[in-house]
Amino acid sequence: MNYKNRKDFPENFLWGASTSAYQVEGAVLEDGKSPSIIDMYEHPDDVADFQIASDHYHRYKEDIALFAQMGLKAYRFSIAWTRILPEGTGKVNEAGVAFYKNVIRECRKYQIEPIVTMYHFDLPYCLEKEGGWNRRETIDAFVEYGKNLFELYGKDVVYWLTINEQNTMILHPGAIGLPKGGKVPGKKELYQQNHHMMLAQAKVMKLFHEMVPGGKIGPALNLTAMYPATCAPEDAIAAHNWEVLRCWNFADVPVYGWYHPLAVSYLEDRGIMPEVLSEDYETLKDARPDFIAMNYYSTATIGASKGDGQDVAARAGDQQIMLGENGVYRPAENPNVEKSQYGWVIDPVGFRYTLRKVYERYHLPILVTENGIGASDQLEDGKVHDEYRIDFLKKHLYQMRLAITDGVEMIGYCPWAALDLVSTHQGYQKRYGFIYVDRDEFDLKDMKRILKDSFFWYQKTIAENGKNI
């Protein structure tokens, strides 16, 4: 739809940027922190690990001052469970508590709204050894963790995200790393883990509404619209299959209190429906998220399954993510979109389309918590000229502005990432930040912070509240 006049971004729009604890902090075993599953997973030998990362743990004041210089209105970061409760439950680690108090205080000093992700892939390894999300006891551990966070930081933080990209963890477990030996769980086990996470999330949301009056909480999912490969009805059905299984089935539960009916039919037919106790139905009811947090990178194009042994293929640039399922869907190419140097689809119009679908389905305001382009940024004469990142963000923000004109209620935009951090599979070869961290995979150099061209573009965009878009 074309408009005579486009609406402006809201006056209180949260222009922000994002990071996660394990990818940016470093200091993985300092000040009482215990290992998380991320710390113990197998990772490629030829890329940086998470031991030092971007050393945000020691440089957070410098970094947040730069965020303020950029003009950020919000900083989305995650709290490492293992810094707060090194044993997963029980005794609170005061050094970890103090670190995040200081991060929040530093944000408030510059009028930056802290947005906290409670869980960004990094389950305490001590809980994983006991069975992790396969055990119902981990639900109670997560609720205890949440209670501690709300008591410690509830007065200082308004916006909270429960679990980051639960759908990625369940559908593509290899995307966040591989356990020792490289074995990933089967689908039945993964969907049982998913059910336990859903119960934990619902309990935490209810607890949050009791403990943090005036606060806002929501799930953070990787959401994307699907295109049928052709106008053939079978392709449209396949695209709907994958859109439900990948997106709506994970967002429906916190909003509506139960799984999408098509997903239930799929799980039951495949014999992978999780064990559900009678009390689980009541637990999942009335979690009442206040908003949807949405990570968006690209769309997907889907064809009907042919059952010819060619339905499943690795996603371009990432052998850990397999796409396609016999009898459900197969990935297809879309000649109408661009691709990044790593083979990721670039689809700004699909961003608008996805925002419209999410808002139409849930009628909740949307906070974009990730969106960005990874690239092998090059430092030349002390500068980084990342015009490709400016182009990517500008086109996506233009489509967001059109979505706002369409009637979508937006809270804010926190692209990935505030500064360079460790990409889970490509280390520092693939960078996302507005701020360059001067280090290589294994040569830490001086880790100097260098402002990229995109930093100054985003600074101007924020100052003008997006009127240049």
Side-chain angles (χ1 to χ4, degrees), residues 155-168:
K155 291 181 180 178
D156 301 309
V157 178
V158 176
Y159 292 95
W160 295 77
L161 316 179
T162 50
I163 299 175
N164 181 74
E165 292 195 1
Q166 186 171 332
N167 48 346
T168 296

Side-chain angles (χ1 to χ4, degrees), residues 96-160:
V97 169
F99 171 68
Y100 293 111
K101 278 188 178 292
N102 289 336
V103 169
I104 293 165
R105 186 180 299 116
E106 207 67 17
C107 286
R108 290 295 183 198
K109 171 181 168 183
Y110 295 105
Q111 290 80 53
I112 296 173
E113 192 75 39
I115 299 173
V116 169
T117 307
M118 298 174 62
Y119 180 69
H120 198 120
F121 301 155
D122 48 358
L123 184 73
Y125 188 66
C126 56
L127 296 182
E128 177 71 9
K129 288 192 295 183
E130 295 172 0
W133 285 110
N134 289 314
R135 301 172 75 241
R136 282 185 171 256
E137 288 81 356
T138 303
I139 300 171
D140 298 328
F142 187 68
V143 173
E144 180 184 335
Y145 169 55
K147 184 173 185 290
N148 275 287
L149 293 188
F150 304 151
E151 286 176 344
L152 291 165
Y153 310 116
K155 291 181 180 178
D156 301 309
V157 178
V158 176
Y159 292 95
W160 295 77

Side-chain angles (χ1 to χ4, degrees), residues 209-259:
H209 290 126
E210 292 174 9
M211 294 183 64
V212 189
K216 298 180 184 297
I217 194 166
L221 294 164
N222 186 306
L223 301 175
T224 184
M226 305 290 170
Y227 304 130
T230 72
C231 57
E234 293 80 6
D235 287 347
I237 287 288
H240 186 243
N241 286 344
W242 186 227
E243 194 170 270
V244 167
L245 294 176
R246 187 192 180 282
C247 301
W248 312 140
N249 190 45
F250 291 89
D252 279 9
V253 182
V255 178
Y256 299 128
W258 191 241
Y259 299 98

Side-chain angles (χ1 to χ4, degrees), residues 332-406:
E333 289 295 318
N334 187 341
N336 301 301
V337 297
E338 299 177 32
K339 287 189 176 180
S340 75
Q341 71 179 99
Y342 292 96
W344 285 37
V345 167
I346 299 175
D347 185 5
V349 177
F351 187 32
R352 177 189 183 186
Y353 186 39
T354 305
L355 288 168
R356 284 165 49 149
K357 282 196 166 193
V358 172
Y359 191 67
E360 177 184 57
R361 186 170 185 86
Y362 301 112
H363 296 283
L364 288 171
I366 300 170
L367 174 63
V368 174
T369 41
E370 289 184 30
N371 175 236
I373 183 168
S376 54
D377 297 342
Q378 299 300 311
L379 185 64
E380 300 174 2
D381 298 323
K383 296 182 179 180
V384 178
H385 302 299
D386 55 342
E387 293 86 357
Y388 40 85
R389 181 164 293 110
I390 294 171
D391 182 67
F392 178 96
L393 296 171
K394 186 184 297 183
K395 287 177 177 176
H396 281 76
L397 281 171
Y398 176 73
Q399 293 298 326
M400 183 193 291
R401 187 173 179 186
L402 290 177
I404 291 170
T405 306
D406 292 330

Side-chain angles (χ1 to χ4, degrees), residues 230-292:
T230 72
C231 57
E234 293 80 6
D235 287 347
I237 287 288
H240 186 243
N241 286 344
W242 186 227
E243 194 170 270
V244 167
L245 294 176
R246 187 192 180 282
C247 301
W248 312 140
N249 190 45
F250 291 89
D252 279 9
V253 182
V255 178
Y256 299 128
W258 191 241
Y259 299 98
H260 191 291
L262 176 62
V264 172
S265 296
Y266 161 82
L267 294 168
E268 290 177 341
D269 181 74
R270 266 67 175 174
I272 54 177
M273 184 72 184
E275 178 188 46
V276 179
L277 304 185
S278 58
E279 60 265 29
D280 292 351
Y281 297 97
E282 194 62 34
T283 297
L284 293 175
K285 281 183 186 175
D286 301 320
R288 295 186 295 108
D290 299 290
F291 61 91
I292 297 289

